[in-house]
Amino acid sequence: MTWLIMVFILGLAVLAQAVAPGPVWLGQVRFPWLMGVVLYYAMDRQLYHGLLAALMAGLLQDAMTPFIPMGYSALCFMAAALAGWGVSRFIASGSAAARMLTGGFTGGGLIVGLYLLLVRRGLVEVGFWMLAWKVFGGMVLGALCTVIMGWLLARLDKLAGNLEMEQVYDGI
Amino acid sequence: MGENRLGFWLAIIGLVVLLVLPVPRAWRLKMMTRDGMAPYQNLISMAMDRLAHGVEFLGSVRTAIRERSELVVRIAELQQQVWELESERRENSTLKLLLGYRDQGSRKLVLGRVIARGETSGWWQTIRINRGDLDGVKVDQAVVTESGLVGRTLEVTDLTADVLLVTDPRCRVACRFVRTGALGILRGGGFTAIDSTLEMMCAPRPFRVDYMAKELEILDGDEVVTSGLGGVFPDGVPVGRVERSGLHSSGLYQSADVVPLVALERLRYVFVVVPGDRIQQRQRERSR
């Protein structure tokens, strides 16, 4: 059931990310719903859940984008999953604040990581301030999406019986 | 523990496979995923369109009746113009035949609905439309609206096509100033924070037109159209109007900022300019 929910929610997340435009005042960064899913599985479930969610999320994001070579987003999402897992395991777990901070920093980190991979191949032309603006946008939206996705998925998992009652994320 | 390890190594192997996948296979995987998602994107886009129309309708009931009567008159006028143009087209064809002129006007317009604004990662300015290879759309075809140039097709699957907007810095268009005939190369100016709303896909900065001969006079408000050079964009498609111009810092040529004519942030329907024979070929294939 975990895998079914993961695939379903990743499909919904990529559609939401593709359809809803990013706000211009946050550097036109898309709402990182996929990252929210990845971080939930990395922070609240096992590491391999997070990594496999990252692989699928990366595949979907790269497939839906004309320029990005396959695997780039998956690499970034996996790094995000590792970071999320590390935070939940060694620093703080469960609280909404920890999740929000992790989402924020990971959101900004994803923008930088993807930018470095893309600029190496000459695929993006973005100035320093535009990049900084995008990173800021990524942090704000990352924090938001991670908390919303965490809340939503925890309840879905609870309904499906994938989580014990006491394990359910109760950050909000 | 065993499941953990298996899942971990599965993810790592999956990543390596994705990274080293040969380009044709990666391309096929992309196309399959994109075509698989297209119906759902289409559905969401239609639902959002309906919702937007509903909201617009509720807000404009008062003016709708007046607009309707105005439109009836306008349609009658346009119909009159169509008849006149039809007559002129026939006359033109006859004259061309008489002159032995080879017909270059065999392009057709394929109507497409915008099903996604911008791509998923948010780095480039693109739109996705619900027309693809099965409708005769190919890579590097011009995309227009009734107001002017929108961009060019970038990647095409069976069911969808990604369009790179003219406002993207990666998009270059050979263009011409109508008044002077000066030629130049236009590139997108990217986006800016001005006039931002959540609805906006991009707030286009003026385009930049470079490499214009410095002895030609360029005035504010001059109309810019595509020159047809390069083969992607047909000749004479309106692009924008000059906002300001001046000598480039190198002193070798002039540059101008051009304001786009098309409201790219509100695109719902666009036309892809497709060679006519390709559509007929596709229709023949389908009928078989």
Side-chain angles (χ1 to χ4, degrees):
Chain A
M1 202 62 175
T2 296
W3 302 110
L4 199 67
I5 288 180
M6 188 192 288
V7 170
F8 173 72
I9 213 76
L10 281 170
L12 279 186
V14 78
L15 282 176
Q17 205 163 308
V19 169
V24 174
W25 49 277
L26 286 176
Q28 283 190 315
V29 175
R30 316 291 286 197
F31 287 87
W33 298 114
L34 286 170
M35 190 200 73
V37 178
V38 170
L39 282 184
Y40 165 77
Y41 280 104
M43 294 177 82
D44 291 67
R45 307 297 297 273
Q46 302 294 323
L47 173 64
Y48 76 95
H49 284 136
L51 289 176
L52 285 171
L55 182 71
M56 284 189 270
L59 193 151
L60 285 171
Q61 175 157 301
D62 290 345
M64 299 294 274
T65 305
F67 289 108
I68 301 184
M70 284 302 246
Y72 278 25
S73 297
L75 185 66
C76 293
F77 279 132
M78 279 193 177
L82 278 171
W85 176 77
V87 168
S88 72
R89 182 99 183 222
F90 302 112
I91 301 173
S93 65
S95 76
R99 191 176 301 270
M100 199 177 269
L101 280 174
T102 310
F105 282 109
T106 313
L110 266 182
I111 303 269
V112 175
L114 203 53
Y115 170 77
L116 290 175
L117 288 171
L118 294 172
V119 84
R120 212 168 53 89
R121 297 189 56 157
L123 290 170
V124 286
E125 296 173 20
V126 177
F128 174 78
W129 290 110
M130 188 66 216
L131 178 66
W133 192 10
K134 273 184 173 290
V135 171
F136 172 71
M139 290 176 84
V140 173
L141 294 181
L144 190 74
C145 291
T146 305
V147 172
I148 294 173
M149 267 298 170
W151 181 83
L152 183 74
L153 275 166
R155 260 123 197 99
L156 263 179
D157 269 345
K158 181 187 150 192
L159 277 176
N162 294 333
L163 283 181
E164 295 297 325
M165 285 298 281
E166 63 270 21
Q167 280 181 280
V168 173
Y169 163 62
D170 200 19
I172 296 178
Chain B
M1 195 63 185
E3 198 183 2
N4 281 3
R5 277 198 180 167
L6 181 69
F8 179 82
W9 286 112
L10 210 62
I12 300 298
I13 291 166
L15 175 66
V16 173
V17 168
L18 274 186
L19 285 170
V20 300
L21 209 59
V23 173
R25 282 179 193 275
W27 171 254
R28 204 175 303 158
L29 187 61
K30 267 192 176 197
M31 297 305 106
M32 276 170 56
T33 315
R34 213 178 286 176
D35 279 346
M37 285 290 178
Y40 305 107
Q41 274 187 298
N42 224 339
L43 204 68
I44 292 174
S45 156
M46 274 169 68
M48 286 172 75
D49 266 5
R50 292 270 162 86
L51 191 70
H53 283 145
V55 172
E56 270 175 30
F57 175 75
L58 287 174
S60 62
V61 170
R62 281 183 185 176
T63 53
I65 297 167
R66 183 175 50 81
E67 279 179 2
R68 185 184 172 280
S69 51
E70 284 171 7
L71 282 173
V72 168
V73 177
R74 183 80 183 126
I75 287 169
E77 287 170 4
L78 288 172
Q79 186 61 57
Q80 181 66 37
Q81 282 179 23
V82 168
W83 289 331
E84 286 170 14
L85 287 171
E86 187 61 28
S87 157
E88 283 173 17
R89 190 187 64 79
R90 276 198 298 271
E91 188 185 345
N92 194 15
S93 313
T94 314
L95 289 171
K96 275 182 189 171
L97 278 176
L98 288 172
L99 287 168
Y101 181 84
R102 190 169 162 233
D103 184 19
Q104 294 178 343
S106 58
R107 294 173 196 262
K108 301 278 181 192
L109 298 177
V110 175
L111 178 67
R113 198 178 66 249
V114 177
I115 58 171
R117 293 163 189 278
E119 40 70 47
T120 322
S121 73
W123 285 103
W124 298 279
Q125 292 182 35
T126 61
I127 53 171
R128 182 165 298 151
I129 59 171
N130 66 341
R131 290 285 179 263
D133 192 48
L134 293 176
D135 305 288
V137 176
K138 295 284 173 197
V139 174
D140 276 340
Q141 287 175 338
V143 179
V144 299
T145 68
E146 69 284 359
S147 310
L149 188 67
V150 170
R152 66 177 166 88
T153 52
L154 191 69
E155 281 189 359
V156 179
T157 69
D158 283 350
L159 303 174
T160 64
D162 284 327
V163 178
L164 185 68
L165 298 178
V166 278
T167 46
D168 191 285
R170 289 175 66 91
C171 193
R172 308 279 202 274
V173 184
C175 64
R176 175 167 52 84
F177 289 80
V178 174
R179 192 177 57 80
T180 59
L183 296 170
I185 295 173
L186 178 142
R187 63 186 158 86
F191 40 82
T192 170
I194 301 164
D195 298 329
S196 59
T197 67
L198 195 64
E199 169 71 18
M200 299 284 269
M201 176 186 57
C202 58
R205 250 191 220 162
F207 305 119
R208 191 86 184 150
V209 185
D210 288 329
Y211 311 119
M212 292 172 298
K214 58 182 180 181
E215 60 272 13
L216 289 167
E217 186 189 37
I218 307 293
L219 299 177
D220 292 357
D222 272 0
E223 194 184 348
V224 180
V225 297
T226 53
S227 67
L229 299 172
V232 174
F233 302 100
D235 184 19
V237 179
V239 178
R241 289 190 180 279
V242 173
E243 191 179 56
R244 59 176 167 268
S245 61
L247 199 61
H248 189 260
S249 54
S250 67
L252 295 174
Y253 56 86
Q254 290 187 86
S255 294
D257 287 341
V258 177
V259 179
L261 290 176
V262 179
L264 295 166
E265 70 280 6
R266 288 192 291 273
L267 286 176
R268 280 187 182 163
Y269 294 93
V270 294
F271 296 101
V272 184
V273 184
V274 175
D277 52 349
R278 195 185 301 283
I279 294 180
Q280 285 159 11
Q281 187 189 336
R282 284 291 176 198
Q283 282 170 345
R284 278 199 298 274
E285 282 172 13
R286 277 184 178 180
S287 63
R288 274 184 223 149

